[in-house]
């Protein structure tokens, strides 16, 4: 079975604090994402004002299940409060080959 990678690109809301955003992301990762079945890693990339999250999971099912929490998630709400949701583009890829 191949790994699955979420590729999510977005911009922060105008005036959002990048250091505060990164703290919210770290808290979300440490207290929720990293505890999800099949979680491997979360990398946050930045070029100019465009952010990219690369979340890697063991399987496609693990990735899909982690992205749909059951019930309200205050950590996710805080994380998303920094993001211009109109700028979000999400793709879910299977890893076909690693070198």
């Amino acid at each position: 079975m191949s790994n699955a990678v979420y590729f999510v690109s977005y911009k922060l809301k105008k005036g959002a604090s990048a250091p505060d955003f990164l703290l919210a992301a770290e808290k979300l990762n440490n207290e929720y994402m990293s505890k999800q079945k099949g979680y491997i890693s979360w990398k946050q990339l930045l070029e100019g004002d465009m952010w990219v999250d690369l979340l890697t999971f063991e399987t496609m099912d693990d990735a899909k299940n982690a992205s749909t929490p059951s019930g309200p998630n205050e950590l996710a709400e805080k994380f998303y409060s920094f993001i211009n949701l109109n700028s979000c583009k999400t793709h879910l890829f299977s890893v076909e080959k690693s070198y």
Side-chain angles (χ1 to χ4, degrees), residues 39-53:
Y39 171 90
I40 295 174
S41 67
W42 179 1
K43 294 177 175 69
Q44 288 189 289
L45 314 175
L46 176 63
E47 181 185 18
D49 65 350
M50 181 63 66
W51 291 81
V52 171
D53 289 351

Side-chain angles (χ1 to χ4, degrees), residues 17-90:
S17 163
D20 290 346
F21 168 67
L22 289 170
L23 285 173
E26 183 176 5
K27 189 169 176 122
L28 176 60
N29 181 68
N30 293 345
E31 296 181 25
Y32 178 76
M33 292 305 299
S34 65
K35 295 178 173 150
Q36 299 309 297
K37 181 180 181 299
Y39 171 90
I40 295 174
S41 67
W42 179 1
K43 294 177 175 69
Q44 288 189 289
L45 314 175
L46 176 63
E47 181 185 18
D49 65 350
M50 181 63 66
W51 291 81
V52 171
D53 289 351
L54 295 176
L55 291 106
T56 306
F57 292 87
E58 290 178 9
T59 70
M60 189 65 73
D61 283 342
D62 292 341
K64 288 177 181 175
N65 290 334
S67 70
T68 54
S70 59
N73 185 320
E74 291 178 20
L75 298 168
E77 289 172 17
K78 176 72 171 172
F79 171 76
Y80 286 116
S81 74
F82 289 91
I83 296 174
N84 175 348
L85 298 178
N86 291 326
S87 71
C88 277
K89 292 188 170 58
T90 302

